[in-house]
Amino acid sequence: MSRSAHPAGPRHGDVLPEGHYTPPPSDLNSLDPRVWAQTVERTAEGALRVGGVDVRRLAEEFGTPAYVMDENDFRARCRAWREAFGPDADVFYAGKAFLSRAVVRWLHEEGLNLDVCSGGELATALAAGMPPERIALHGNNKSMEEITRAVEAGVGRIVVDSFQEIARVAHVARRLGRRQPVQIRVTVGVEAHTHEFIATAHEDQKFGLALAGGQAAEAVRRVLGLESLELTGIHSHIGSQIFDMAGFEVSARRVVGLLTEVRDEHGVELPEIDLGGGLGIAYTSEDDPREPHEIAKALGDIVTRECEAAGLAVPRLSVEPGRAIVGPTAFTLYEVGTVKELEGLRTYVSVDGGMSDNIRTALYDAEYSVTLASRASEAEPMLSRVVGKHCESGDIVVRDAFLPADLAPGDLLAVPATGAYCRSMASNYNHALRPPVIAVRDGEARTIVRRETEEDLLRLDVG
Ligand SMILES: *Cc1c(COP(=O)(O)O)cnc(C)c1O
C-alpha cells in the first residue's frame, strides 16, 4: 500500500509494525466507559469534561502534566466494594496504590479500612484521621520504628511476614504493655497475574511464610505461644491485575486448609481470613474486569464452601483492593510538545511528562490507552507512540495507540486509568517536578497534592 495515500501513518487494516495494538475504535472521539472515570464525557464542543469541569480549564488553571481524579467516581467505587462485601466482611483499601490525606478522608467517610506498608503511609493515614483500629500494617521488612509507631497508635492489625518479625512485634507489644492483633501472611503456592495463575514455583518470593513445608504452621505455633500477640487470622495476597478467579479459589482452599490444621492442632478457630487484593481493571478496551458484586459473591462462595466442607465456622473475610478502587478514577492530562512521523513505522508524540509520572509502561510493559482531550477530531487514525521527555528511549507512556492524524503541539492528551501506581511510584528522574493531583467534583476542581517546585527539589539538596 502506498504510504502517500495516508501520510500520517498506517490505517486500520494495514500491515502494522511489530507491537500490540488495541484496534482503533471506529470513532477516535469515543470513550470506552470501562477505562474512564464515570463522569468523563466529551462535550458538544469536543473537549473532555470530568466532574463537570472542562480539561482545557484544568490545564490552564493547574498546568500539565496533572493527574485528574474524579472524586465522585472514587467514592462510588468505595461504596460498590463495601456494599458488595456487606457487613460480614471488611474492605481494606491498599494505600500503596495512591495515598493522600483527601483520599484517607474519603475512605473513612465511605466506611473502608486502610492498608499501609510503611511509616510514611501510616503517618499519612493517622494525619488524616483514619481511626487506628481500621488500619492494617503490611511489609516484609518493617523497621522497629515502624512497628513501634503502629503498636503505639493501636493499629487494628499487623500482618506479620517472617519469624524475625513475629519476635519483633511481640517484643514491642510487650514493652508497650499491649496485646497486638496480628495476621500471618502465608504464601499459598499460587501466583496470579492478569489472565493467568501459576500453581507452582510459588514459594520462591520474598513475601510471607510458605504453607508448603510447614513454615506457616510453625509461625502459627510461635504466635499462639506469645502473650503479647493475638492471632486473628491468615492473610494471603497472590498477585496483581488478576482477572481469573481460579487463583483465589486455590488460595482460599489452602488458607482454609491451614485454619483446619490450626483447629486440629491447637483447638483454636481463627476468626479472620484476608484474601488480599490484586483485582484487575481495564487499561484498554481489551480488558474485561469483573464487578465488585461478582467478585464478592465468588470469594464468599468459595470460602463458605471450603469452611463447610471442613466443619469450620465461616471466618470474617477481608479483601484489599487498591488498583480496582483508585485506578480508573484518574487520568493523566499531558500537553503535546512534538510530533515526529516515521513513515511506514509510527508517529512519536512527545508529551510534557513521561516515566517520572508513569513508570508502569517501562517497568511492567503495561498497556494504556490515550485520547485527544482538548478537542474532537475527524482525522484518520495514526499509529502513535506516546513518549515522555526523559533522557531514556524506554520512556514510553503508551506504547501503541491510535491518535488522530491532525494531532499537533499544544493539543492535550488524556491517558486513562492512571489513578493507581502512577503518582505513588512517581520519581524526580531528570529532576522532573512530580505532577499535582487535582480532584474534581460537581463542577469544582481543587488540588489535593500540589505540584512539586524547584524549591522542593533544592530543599533536600543541602550540600
Ligand atoms: C499491593 C497489595 C494489594 C493491592 O493490590 P492491587 O493490585 O492494587 O489491588 C493488596 N494487598 C497487599 C498485601 C498488597 O501488597
Side-chain angles (χ1 to χ4, degrees):
M1 192 177 286
S2 148
R3 304 285 356 135
S4 59
H6 38 88
R11 278 203 291 205
H12 195 26
D14 280 5
V15 176
L16 295 171
E18 216 174 290
H20 182 267
Y21 312 104
T22 299
S26 49
D27 174 6
L28 283 182
N29 300 310
S30 68
L31 300 170
D32 182 341
R34 273 176 306 181
V35 298
W36 292 93
Q38 286 163 16
T39 71
V40 177
E41 57 190 341
R42 201 177 281 281
T43 63
E45 265 181 72
L48 296 198
R49 187 158 61 189
V50 53
V53 185
D54 191 306
V55 294
R56 293 169 300 182
R57 198 192 109 196
L58 290 172
E60 219 175 271
E61 193 174 335
F62 301 99
T64 55
Y67 304 100
V68 181
M69 186 174 280
D70 180 344
E71 178 181 341
N72 282 337
D73 187 45
F74 184 95
R75 289 176 178 274
R77 285 177 205 277
C78 290
R79 283 197 291 277
W81 280 87
R82 265 274 4 101
E83 283 161 18
F85 279 85
D88 298 327
D90 295 303
V91 180
F92 283 77
Y93 168 78
K96 70 180 198 249
F98 173 68
L99 201 63
S100 77
R101 283 197 261 222
V103 159
V104 174
R105 287 194 296 269
W106 302 341
L107 293 165
H108 186 189
E109 286 165 16
E110 300 299 342
L112 269 67
N113 295 357
L114 176 60
D115 272 355
V116 297
C117 59
S118 70
E121 289 181 3
L122 177 60
T124 304
L126 294 172
M130 182 58 92
E133 65 276 12
R134 283 168 53 185
I135 300 175
L137 177 66
H138 281 270
N140 68 301
N141 186 17
K142 307 169 188 78
S143 69
M144 283 302 273
E145 197 190 335
E146 287 168 329
I147 293 169
T148 304
R149 279 164 66 194
V151 175
E152 267 172 357
V155 300
R157 69 169 72 140
I158 295 179
V159 181
V160 292
D161 210 280
S162 65
F163 292 124
Q164 290 93 336
E165 193 172 277
I166 291 169
R168 287 175 193 154
V169 177
H171 172 79
V172 169
R174 193 169 51 242
R175 189 161 49 77
L176 294 171
R178 301 286 180 86
R179 187 148 193 261
Q180 176 62 47
V182 298
Q183 288 189 341
I184 294 172
R185 174 151 179 181
V186 302
T187 46
V188 293
V190 168
E191 205 180 322
H193 293 289
T194 192
H195 298 278
E196 288 164 23
F197 83 96
I198 309 163
T200 55
H202 33 273
E203 280 86 18
D204 190 3
Q205 58 158 307
K206 71 172 184 172
F207 292 109
L209 292 139
L211 280 180
Q215 278 198 342
E218 174 58 19
V220 170
R221 259 170 238 128
R222 292 198 194 177
V223 173
L224 288 176
L226 290 161
E227 276 288 298
S228 60
L229 301 183
E230 177 195 353
L231 181 60
T232 65
I234 302 297
H235 182 284
S236 159
H237 171 74
I238 56 173
S240 57
Q241 186 60 0
I242 304 166
F243 292 98
D244 182 352
M245 298 303 286
F248 286 103
E249 175 135 19
V250 177
S251 167
R253 196 177 313 130
R254 294 185 181 171
V255 167
V256 172
L258 178 61
L259 295 188
T260 313
E261 275 179 46
V262 170
R263 178 200 55 196
D264 295 347
E265 183 180 338
H266 305 281
V268 178
E269 287 201 22
L270 299 179
E272 296 172 357
I273 283 187
D274 189 314
L275 292 179
L279 287 316
I281 63 164
Y283 285 101
T284 75
S285 296
E286 291 192 341
D287 296 323
D288 191 15
R290 297 185 179 210
E291 296 293 325
H293 67 89
E294 296 174 274
I295 293 161
K297 175 155 186 356
L299 293 182
D301 286 354
I302 296 166
V303 171
T304 304
R305 195 177 59 232
E306 292 300 320
C307 288
E308 278 171 2
L312 285 169
V314 178
R316 189 172 179 83
L317 178 65
S318 48
V319 287
E320 304 175 325
R323 182 193 322 264
I325 290 177
V326 74
T329 68
F331 60 81
T332 311
L333 191 61
Y334 297 104
E335 185 178 303
V336 174
T338 67
V339 178
K340 173 171 107 168
E341 186 200 330
L342 292 178
E343 212 172 289
L345 264 180
R346 72 184 88 248
T347 298
Y348 280 82
V349 176
S350 298
V351 295
D352 49 357
M355 65 194 298
S356 55
D357 58 73
N358 186 349
I359 191 66
R360 294 191 65 259
T361 307
L363 191 59
Y364 309 122
D365 263 332
E367 283 173 23
Y368 283 92
S369 45
V370 57
T371 198
L372 172 56
S374 44
R375 61 188 173 91
S377 166
E378 299 309 320
E380 286 293 309
M382 158 178 88
L383 180 62
S384 308
R385 178 160 291 173
V386 179
V387 296
K389 60 179 291 171
H390 296 284
C391 305
E392 192 80 45
S393 47
D395 173 27
I396 296 169
V397 180
V398 186
R399 191 173 303 279
D400 296 301
F402 289 89
L403 284 165
D406 64 352
L407 195 74
D411 280 333
L412 298 176
L413 295 182
V415 174
T418 58
Y421 306 108
C422 287
R423 181 58 180 80
S424 69
M425 287 186 164
S427 77
N428 291 119
Y429 181 46
N430 292 141
H431 281 201
L433 305 171
R434 287 178 295 174
V437 182
I438 310 301
V440 291
R441 182 185 181 178
D442 305 332
E444 305 280 335
R446 66 188 173 102
T447 304
I448 60 170
V449 177
R450 74 161 166 79
R451 186 184 301 284
E452 270 179 332
T453 62
E454 286 172 4
E455 245 169 48
D456 289 329
L457 289 183
L458 287 165
R459 197 157 36 215
L460 300 179
D461 184 338
V462 294

